[in-house]
Amino acid sequence: MSDLTTPATRPADTASGPERGRRIDGKAFAVSLRKQIAADVVAFHAEYGVTPGLAVVLVGNDPASEIYVRNKALETHHVGMRSFMHMLPETTTEAALLTLIGRLNADPEIHGILVQLPLPNGIDARRITNAIDPKKDVDGLGEVNAGRLSLGLPGLIPCTPLGCLMLLQSELGNLRGLNAVVVGASNLVGKPMALLLLNEGCTVSIVHIDTINPQALTRTADILVVATGVSGLIRHDWVKPGATVIDVGITRVPTASGKTKLVGDVAFDEVAPIAGRITPVPGGVGPMTIACLLQNTLTAARLSLSESA
């Protein structure tokens, strides 16, 4: 990872010049990443005779989740991996789901397991997540991988924060010494994102629902990552000039024409002229999530070989 310049000068450099308002093209980055993964899968199979396999489990018939899961399966095939789909009815019990996970844990052809969230009422998502073998936990949400991340140890990292980090490193190079603020403290994005940035040498703050005067914190950020699910929360006066803004939020809102559109947690039109770099919605962080899921599956396949050696 290259160092662009010293930490003391980089924030000022990003606040001026032609970089102002630069869109970070997550879609193009994800395409490039998937191409690299496909090449790595070919090389992996040639060396070890193993094709990485990803099992995705969906409980219930939520249409949006079904589309998302099928897209994951398609992308898995496109990079040369094997996809195993398990579409379970809404009436599936927690015990039945745990039995399935036990079988997938024991299956040597399965290297990654993902249980699509949210789960129906009556199923303990935390218990299900922790039942997945940590070496196959490609969502990185189990307690073992979360603990390894908190200690700065190698492990499987949640896909969306990993994608955000890749975009930041691509844009800024070495992140050491930069002030980073994460808005949102969820286990899915906010907390792991903060830990990743801390492990990269950033000075990290987290803004959450009980934070007093959050704008005062966000205006100090050289890196601002927003993951709240509140559309348009971040306005122009929340952002330091020249900051790099990563918008994880995605909400479908109605338009004047009666149709709908996707928007993020950041008021893009207000913030883009102030930010040095910014991810759009759609086309920013979203495409990175599935690409990083595929990357984690390949990583998990490599881990399975080291465990069996």
Side-chain angles (χ1 to χ4, degrees):
M1 184 167 58
S2 61
D3 189 354
L4 299 184
T5 180
T6 62
T9 60
R10 291 206 321 273
D13 290 345
T14 62
S16 61
E19 293 296 328
R20 181 67 64 85
R22 168 188 167 93
R23 291 193 181 205
I24 301 173
D25 192 342
K27 184 176 181 180
F29 192 105
V31 168
S32 176
L33 179 57
R34 291 197 302 270
K35 287 180 180 178
Q36 182 59 56
I37 292 168
D40 290 343
V41 168
V42 171
F44 184 79
H45 185 272
E47 184 171 358
Y48 300 107
V50 174
T51 300
L54 172 64
V56 178
V57 180
L58 175 64
V59 184
N61 57 356
D62 178 71
S65 292
E66 286 182 3
I67 293 171
Y68 189 50
V69 164
R70 293 188 190 282
N71 284 341
K72 289 177 180 177
L74 286 173
E75 294 296 343
T76 303
H77 285 298
H78 286 163
V79 298
M81 297 182 185
R82 300 179 67 191
S83 174
F84 301 85
M85 297 284 295
H86 296 269
M87 312 287 279
L88 306 180
E90 185 86 15
T91 54
T92 300
T93 64
E94 183 177 287
L97 184 53
L98 288 170
T99 298
L100 172 60
I101 291 172
R103 291 203 306 268
L104 298 176
N105 283 340
D107 189 339
E109 294 187 332
I110 304 295
H111 302 97
I113 303 169
L114 183 148
V115 177
Q116 185 69 33
L117 301 177
L119 291 167
N121 292 335
I123 298 180
D124 185 340
R126 181 176 176 181
R127 186 178 182 192
I128 296 301
T129 299
N130 285 318
I132 299 171
D133 183 336
K135 298 186 297 297
K136 297 187 178 187
D137 174 26
V138 287
D139 242 355
L141 297 179
E143 291 174 358
V144 171
N145 282 310
R148 295 186 70 83
L149 177 58
S150 71
L151 295 173
L153 298 174
L156 293 169
I157 299 168
C159 302
T160 299
L162 178 59
C164 293
L165 180 64
M166 287 182 176
L167 292 176
L168 286 167
Q169 290 173 328
S170 175
E171 291 292 321
L172 301 176
N174 187 353
L175 308 182
R176 188 167 299 277
L178 296 181
N179 288 330
V181 175
V182 178
V183 183
S186 71
N187 292 331
L188 186 63
V189 179
K191 290 177 184 176
M193 188 75 247
L195 288 168
L196 284 172
L197 291 166
L198 185 63
N199 291 342
E200 290 297 313
C202 294
T203 300
V204 182
S205 301
I206 301 179
V207 169
H208 51 78
I209 194 168
D210 294 316
T211 300
I212 297 172
N213 194 7
Q215 296 96 322
L217 275 176
T218 59
R219 284 195 296 264
T220 70
D222 304 312
I223 295 170
L224 181 62
V225 182
V226 189
T228 67
V230 180
S231 61
L233 174 67
I234 304 301
R235 311 299 292 268
H236 67 93
D237 55 347
W238 288 54
V239 179
K240 176 182 177 180
T244 298
V245 180
I246 305 294
D247 188 352
V248 181
I250 185 164
T251 306
R252 188 172 292 277
V253 299
T255 65
S257 66
K259 298 181 180 180
T260 61
K261 66 176 181 178
L262 295 176
V263 299
D265 292 352
V266 176
F268 185 88
D269 291 341
E270 286 187 27
V271 172
I274 298 167
R277 300 167 174 86
I278 185 170
T279 56
V281 176
V285 173
M288 293 295 296
T289 298
I290 292 180
C292 288
L293 172 65
L294 302 175
Q295 181 67 64
N296 276 354
T297 302
L298 179 57
T299 299
R302 289 172 173 148
L303 287 173
S304 73
L305 293 180
S306 65
E307 289 292 326
S308 61

